[in-house]
Amino acid sequence: MGSLPPEKSREIGEDSTFKAARKQDNLPRCFSRIQHSIGREALEESVSQEIGRHRTPGELLRDLADWPFAGYVTTNYDALIPRALQIIGHGGGWAEAGNSDGEIRKLSGNVDGLIWYIHGAVNHEHVDYKIIITEEDYDQVYLEGSRATNQLKSLLTQKRVAFFGFGFEDAELQRLLRIANLYSNPARPAFAFLSGLGGSDGERKRLDLLTRFNVDVIPYEVIDNSHAQLCRILRVSGSFILKRNQKFGQPARPCPSYHSETTSLLVYNKLAATKNLDIAGDTLGSLLKARVISLLKFKGPQTFEALATDLAERIRILRGTPPDDVDSITAFIHRYVTEPAEKAFSELSGIEVPVVLHSIYAQRAADLEQKPGNHVAADCPRLASKTDANPGAPAGATPTSRP
């Protein structure tokens, strides 16, 4: 009301229908009266301005975002749930759905990773995220046989649901819960965190919700308009829950699937940053060197011809033209692989560089033994000495002994 023009605010406040609805806490009827006075567009604009003032999720919403719920159904019009997920580092991978028939179809399959704005959202187009605020709006969404009610019944019967902020006074919601209760498992009730259920009357209401709707209530008290007790209850309950940011029996960072180009850069960065390796040469040479390391680590022993062919294609892509000859790439492999292998490659966990490179040099020597001037083994004396460990190993095969 405060955002309305003063004359409209006085007119609506003095209306008998509005006053009666407000006394009964019938907010949809109150908004129906406001819409009748100022029109739908002005009502939605006023609601959007008010909701837009709240941009930061509170403590309660941040705690709920960290609980491992598969999805969320919200009657709020704001975007605080995705913001809370972003704050805890889990903002990616979530889809959103509105309340039009086309949007509700998104929920027909797996609803995991989905936020359903069943009453619309102010930060989306109202065609698909219609603001449900008046009596007429509620009648449309919760009409018997509507797509929204059918989807709600499906969720209530197939998923374990926890309610926050619902008073269970809405007649349409009660009807849906009664239908869902016919198909739900009494041993797997829904949960609801509700305030104002103290004393004998509150106990009767709790039993009524459990009996009629299979909803188990966790009560708490609101003191001075503060829901701090609810936050404490959630914090205690959360100590028994594996939250989104916790791992149990898993590495803190899951191992990604192998991708050769990405791994090349990661290995190169590890050499340059953590091994203090002095990387000489131009950018092209550094990238090609990282490619060679990746091939040796993940594809095993390689012949010089295989490496040269692979690098020639990389050079063609980077420069736009292929290299003049393969011999220049062979020289590149000597320069960018042999010397760093002696200095730092063997320090990398999981890369048995002396063994791998020995097989490469052995194959190279076998392939080019007829050509003069090839002193492959002499270029790397420490690696050449490995032949003593298995003198009968065939050229190009990985020696069975381990240095």
Side-chain angles (χ1 to χ4, degrees):
M1 294 287 289
S3 60
L4 298 177
E7 62 278 5
K8 285 294 182 181
S9 180
R10 286 192 301 270
E11 174 188 330
I12 296 171
E14 294 171 358
D15 182 82
S16 59
T17 302
F18 178 85
K19 289 191 292 186
R22 191 169 186 178
K23 186 176 181 179
Q24 298 169 1
D25 288 330
N26 189 337
L27 295 181
R29 184 168 297 174
C30 290
F31 282 110
S32 291
R33 181 62 189 87
I34 294 174
Q35 177 178 280
H36 178 75
S37 178
I38 66 175
R40 180 73 186 192
E41 184 177 350
L43 174 61
E44 291 185 350
E45 178 65 25
S46 179
V47 171
S48 297
Q49 289 180 1
E50 181 63 27
I51 298 298
R53 295 169 50 197
H54 308 282
R55 298 180 177 275
T56 304
E59 178 185 3
L60 172 61
L61 206 50
R62 293 197 300 271
D63 286 344
L64 291 181
D66 206 15
W67 283 27
F69 291 119
Y72 297 90
V73 180
T74 178
T75 58
N76 290 352
Y77 312 121
D78 53 56
L80 295 182
I81 290 179
R83 287 181 190 145
L85 290 166
Q86 289 175 352
I87 288 174
I88 67 169
H90 287 269
W94 288 89
E96 298 181 351
N99 48 21
S100 68
D101 285 352
E103 288 290 305
I104 296 175
R105 290 192 186 96
K106 296 178 181 178
L107 288 81
S108 59
N110 186 3
V111 297
D112 291 0
L114 189 68
I115 303 172
W116 183 16
Y117 296 90
I118 190 172
H119 286 181
V122 297
N123 61 322
H124 288 277
E125 291 293 335
H126 293 175
V127 174
D128 290 326
Y129 292 74
K130 181 180 179 181
I131 302 299
I132 305 302
I133 194 169
T134 67
E135 278 188 314
E136 295 78 11
D137 297 333
Y138 276 87
D139 290 343
Q140 181 180 357
V141 168
Y142 294 105
L143 186 67
E144 175 65 32
S146 71
R147 189 177 294 273
T149 57
N150 289 337
Q151 188 60 54
L152 272 176
K153 283 187 286 188
S154 175
L155 287 176
L156 291 171
T157 54
Q158 298 178 24
K159 298 289 186 179
R160 176 68 71 88
V161 178
F163 293 91
F164 299 87
F166 277 86
F168 293 92
E169 301 295 339
D170 187 279
E172 294 297 333
L173 178 61
Q174 289 184 7
R175 183 178 59 81
L176 288 175
L177 288 172
R178 281 197 299 271
I179 295 174
N181 188 31
L182 298 176
Y183 304 98
S184 61
N185 184 350
R188 298 182 68 252
F191 292 100
F193 294 80
L194 292 179
S195 63
L197 295 182
S200 57
D201 288 342
E203 184 63 24
R204 281 195 296 270
K205 184 174 182 180
R206 289 180 59 193
L207 291 175
D208 182 63
L209 288 171
L210 183 60
T211 303
R212 297 173 61 201
F213 309 126
N214 200 27
V215 174
D216 196 0
V217 173
I218 297 91
Y220 70 95
E221 293 298 323
V222 176
I223 302 174
D224 295 331
N225 294 323
S226 172
H227 293 264
Q229 189 177 109
L230 174 58
C231 293
R232 288 195 295 270
I233 292 175
L234 294 181
R235 198 168 295 115
V236 172
S237 301
S239 63
F240 298 94
I241 296 174
L242 192 64
K243 298 182 181 180
R244 296 191 194 279
N245 287 320
Q246 295 174 324
K247 304 290 183 181
F248 182 75
Q250 301 179 22
R253 297 180 63 185
C255 181
S257 59
Y258 167 65
H259 183 265
S260 58
E261 280 72 14
T262 303
T263 304
S264 299
L265 295 177
L266 290 175
V267 174
Y268 171 79
N269 287 340
K270 184 172 183 180
L271 287 172
T274 65
K275 299 300 179 182
N276 297 319
L277 184 65
D278 184 14
I279 306 292
D282 58 12
T283 303
L284 175 61
S286 299
L287 292 174
L288 295 180
K289 175 168 53 179
R291 175 66 181 176
V292 171
I293 299 170
S294 176
L295 289 172
L296 294 180
K297 176 173 173 61
F298 291 99
K299 291 191 176 181
Q302 304 285 316
T303 65
F304 268 84
E305 280 69 21
L307 290 175
T309 300
D310 186 271
L311 295 184
E313 177 62 16
R314 268 46 185 190
I315 294 174
R316 184 192 66 78
I317 293 173
L318 293 171
R319 287 182 174 173
T321 57
D324 296 335
D325 54 72
V326 175
D327 289 339
S328 63
I329 302 181
T330 301
F332 166 86
I333 296 174
H334 280 293
R335 183 170 69 255
Y336 282 95
V337 176
T338 305
E339 183 178 352
E342 285 295 297
K343 292 181 179 179
F345 284 7
S346 61
E347 299 179 15
L348 282 176
S349 173
I351 304 181
E352 297 175 321
V353 176
V355 174
V356 174
L357 287 182
H358 164 69
S359 64
I360 294 176
Y361 281 108
Q363 179 65 51
R364 180 62 173 168
D367 292 343
L368 304 179
E369 61 181 355
Q370 302 299 326
K371 294 184 179 181
N374 286 295
H375 306 288
V376 178
D379 288 339
C380 190
R382 277 183 58 195
L383 297 183
S385 66
K386 300 295 181 183
T387 58
D388 296 336
N390 189 10
T398 303
T400 57
S401 62
R402 290 294 180 264

